Amino acid sequence: MPNANSNRTKSMFTALLSAIVALTVILAGCSGKDEAAPSSATPSGAGASSPSAGAEPSTDEAKVEEGAVLKIWGSKSALEQAAAGFEQKFGVKVEIEEIALKDAELRQFMLSKVTAKQTADLTALDLDYIPFYDKGVLMPLNELIERDGVKQWPWLNQDIFEHLPYNGNIYYLPSGSAVYGLWYNVNLAKELGIEEMLPKSFDDPLYETWTWDRYVEVLKKATVDTDGDGKVDIYGTDDNWGWGRTDWAATVGVYNTLIENGRVMADNLNYASPEAIEAIQFMNDLTLKHQVAPSADMDTKAAGINIENEKVVMRRMGSWAFGYFKDNANPEREKAGKQPIEYSFTMYPHKAGMKDAFRVHGFSAAGPRIFANTKYPKAAWEFVKYYHSPEFESENYNIFSGGNLPKFSGTNGFNLLKDQVGEQTAKILMQLGEHLIEEGKQPSQTVPTEYQKQYPAGQKPIDQLNAMIPDIRKGKIQFGDIIGPLYEQQVKDTAEAWAKYDADQQ
């Protein structure tokens, strides 16, 4: 999935402040060493001639250091196959250290290890790395990418290199994308006569007319009273005020987070434009006006109104849901002696006349990053290349493990995806992934929590919005009437926080 900015407590980061200051002092003294690290991975004479597409550099120097043993921080389940394959190919053992921490505790772990100069060789931890880029803790890969012709690898989307740099440096290669869209129960969709109304790809002629109005038409046909008692038994959708609002804003070209000059200015609150307000009001009207989704007063969890119980035909979920449905939905049906549900995937509709504004909400996953002070820069870089190679992915790709799409098209990784989910679903997933890459969400930095304005519990702008959502869903408050001041306050708060941060860095 995407990395969402988690709420961190004031007390946690008060404790971290001294560690951050210490880190800044330590790194200031060793930044020259860190900046020189990439060249140590570059054999002498590299760059004398331009490599051909996908070619390795012509050199007699060993690709890896003799006796190298790599340590990587990350998930064993995500890395162990790559580690085993790399060891078999290069004779380099890869030790995976799984760090069972999240959010503030994970950042504290990283700060303490960097300060003590006890880092691994590589990291695949899920945290915000940009403060560590700024301090030279991680190795820029630009020279190695150019030396080994990585930009010419025929299986990589060439546009991705326009979106990877941070302050001119590239620190990782993309590791597939997770995308969001509309899942639907194929069995119910066929039974209710809507399956043929749903576009199967961006190339499908049905996509041209896949507008908000058409979506409502489909959902009305899918919302039915099956037993004639005057109550809805199956709803067209249950998409409402959770993360669904991020997708509806994206259908009119607005991402939920405002980024300016590589910095987050409005986190999860960038909904103040007229287009975004209209899109989110449309989402709310699926219940209030069109009555194709459960009402805000309904306890859908207690009533079992969900897609797994066949009480909902379509809902917003990410590509990670393949694993969810495999592990949670169909096994329950099998226990009850029922046939498995067949699920498929389509994209969100677009507002009429705004087809070209449509954007995919999702995230591009990042591959392992190399610490600048690794003792084995050659072996670490070879591991990064192997991890991202079609050689590895073609044997090991599995959509049910995390939901990231294949990094490569036209390779066996894509064939495995088709085998796992069917050709139609595989095609639309890959098109959504390509859409996401082309739109290119730039790397961005969130202002450190210790610089952010401190509010009493529940009073931050985003907290105020969340508190009003129940009344917005019931139609008691209009979203467009309250979002503007909250958005402006968050931008003002963030601008002041960045000014303090910049002053301290100088």
Side-chain angles (χ1 to χ4, degrees):
M1 288 311 106
N3 292 342
N5 294 309
S6 304
N7 293 326
R8 301 180 175 92
T9 63
K10 178 180 179 181
S11 60
M12 176 66 74
F13 277 94
T14 300
L16 287 178
L17 183 57
S18 60
I20 295 168
V21 173
L23 171 64
T24 303
V25 174
I26 291 169
L27 292 173
C30 63
S31 60
K33 170 180 173 291
D34 290 337
E35 291 172 359
S39 63
S40 66
T42 306
S44 59
S49 61
S50 299
S52 60
E56 295 292 336
S58 177
T59 176
D60 293 331
E61 187 170 342
K63 289 187 175 183
V64 299
E65 295 86 352
E66 184 177 355
V69 176
L70 293 176
K71 177 183 284 189
I72 181 169
W73 290 335
S75 164
K76 287 186 178 179
S77 62
L79 295 166
E80 58 188 357
Q81 288 178 312
F86 183 75
E87 183 174 357
Q88 183 177 8
K89 181 173 182 179
F90 289 93
V92 174
K93 183 173 179 59
V94 180
E95 299 174 348
I96 304 167
E97 184 178 352
E98 193 151 16
I99 311 298
L101 300 173
K102 293 183 178 180
D103 304 329
E105 291 181 341
L106 183 59
R107 185 167 183 244
Q108 182 181 26
F109 165 84
M110 184 78 160
L111 284 167
S112 64
K113 290 296 185 181
V114 168
T115 303
K117 299 182 180 179
Q118 295 174 347
T119 55
D121 299 287
L122 302 105
T123 173
L125 297 176
D126 183 11
L127 79 160
D128 178 11
Y129 284 97
I130 290 185
F132 301 102
Y133 296 160
D134 289 339
K135 301 302 180 182
V137 174
L138 294 152
M139 178 189 292
L141 304 178
N142 302 49
E143 293 181 22
L144 301 174
I145 287 170
E146 293 294 339
R147 185 200 71 184
D148 290 355
V150 172
K151 287 185 179 180
Q152 285 73 48
W153 282 359
W155 49 83
L156 278 183
N157 186 310
Q158 302 305 300
D159 293 339
I160 195 66
F161 291 100
E162 297 178 15
H163 309 305
L164 287 177
Y166 174 74
N167 286 343
N169 289 323
I170 295 174
Y171 293 91
Y172 65 89
L173 296 179
S175 185
S177 300
V179 293
Y180 289 81
L182 297 172
W183 285 79
Y184 63 93
N185 180 319
V186 175
N187 311 69
L188 278 179
K190 289 179 178 178
E191 180 182 331
L192 298 172
I194 67 167
E195 207 271 338
E196 295 302 320
M197 303 170 72
L198 305 175
K200 308 304 186 291
S201 72
F202 284 101
D203 307 318
D204 189 333
L206 289 174
Y207 181 66
E208 293 294 322
T209 56
W210 186 229
T211 61
W212 293 354
D213 290 341
R214 181 65 164 171
Y215 182 56
V216 169
E217 181 184 343
V218 166
L219 294 181
K220 285 184 175 180
K221 195 170 181 179
T223 302
V224 294
D225 170 11
T226 60
D227 55 14
D229 65 354
K231 299 179 180 179
V232 173
D233 297 296
I234 300 174
Y235 287 91
T237 185
D238 62 351
D239 193 17
N240 51 46
W241 275 89
W243 281 101
R245 64 186 186 230
T246 62
D247 294 314
W248 285 109
T251 67
V252 291
V254 179
Y255 276 131
N256 60 306
T257 294
L258 174 67
I259 297 172
E260 293 181 348
N261 300 318
R263 290 179 164 184
V264 171
M265 301 301 295
D267 186 21
N268 297 323
L269 205 61
N270 188 33
Y271 303 116
S273 69
E275 296 83 4
I277 291 171
E278 183 182 14
I280 292 174
Q281 185 61 51
F282 171 77
M283 177 192 70
N284 210 29
D285 284 344
L286 294 176
T287 295
L288 292 175
K289 180 178 178 181
H290 305 296
Q291 299 180 342
V292 293
S295 72
D297 295 319
M298 189 176 296
D299 187 341
T300 55
K301 184 175 182 179
I305 299 175
N306 54 52
I307 195 169
E308 303 96 300
N309 289 343
E310 299 187 277
K311 300 295 185 181
V312 170
V313 182
M314 305 181 73
R315 77 170 307 183
R316 179 259 194 201
M317 296 179 82
S319 47
W320 48 264
F322 284 104
Y324 171 80
F325 286 132
K326 181 180 179 182
D327 296 338
N328 296 283
N330 283 328
E332 294 303 313
R333 293 179 59 82
E334 292 168 8
K335 291 177 185 177
K338 298 180 180 180
Q339 291 295 316
I341 298 173
E342 179 185 354
Y343 295 99
S344 194
F345 199 80
T346 191
M347 72 284 288
Y348 267 72
H350 51 80
K351 183 185 175 184
M354 293 189 68
K355 179 170 68 70
D356 293 337
F358 177 91
R359 304 181 81 173
V360 173
H361 183 72
F363 59 90
S364 293
R369 297 164 171 88
I370 303 173
F371 282 104
N373 63 351
T374 175
K375 293 189 294 184
Y376 309 113
K378 294 179 186 176
W381 171 237
E382 290 300 329
F383 179 82
V384 169
K385 288 196 298 179
Y386 177 75
Y387 182 84
H388 291 284
S389 70
E391 172 189 358
F392 169 65
E393 184 173 271
S394 291
E395 296 297 327
N396 297 280
Y397 178 75
N398 186 354
I399 186 66
F400 300 106
S401 177
N404 285 338
L405 307 181
K407 297 184 286 291
F408 315 113
S409 57
T411 69
N412 195 50
F414 180 61
N415 293 333
L416 290 175
L417 176 64
K418 290 192 293 184
D419 291 342
Q420 291 160 12
V421 302
E423 186 166 2
Q424 172 190 307
T425 301
K427 180 178 181 181
I428 196 169
L429 284 168
M430 293 300 287
Q431 286 188 334
L432 286 166
E434 290 167 359
H435 228 290
L436 186 67
I437 289 173
E438 289 167 2
E439 289 153 11
K441 293 183 72 175
Q442 298 284 346
S444 58
Q445 182 179 1
T446 302
V447 64
T449 303
E450 58 270 21
Y451 290 94
Q452 295 175 15
K453 182 175 180 178
Q454 301 300 315
Y455 283 91
Q459 293 304 304
K460 290 193 299 185
I462 187 65
D463 294 336
Q464 292 183 52
L465 172 62
N466 289 334
M468 287 186 277
I469 285 175
D471 284 340
I472 295 173
R473 291 187 64 201
K474 295 174 184 178
K476 295 180 180 180
I477 298 175
Q478 291 295 306
F479 180 74
D481 292 341
I482 55 93
I483 188 61
L486 296 176
Y487 166 82
E488 291 172 4
Q489 184 63 51
Q490 189 182 74
V491 172
K492 178 176 180 291
D493 292 346
T494 308
E496 292 174 355
W498 277 120
K500 294 177 183 177
Y501 173 84
D502 290 337
D504 281 358
Q505 300 311 299
Q506 296 174 5

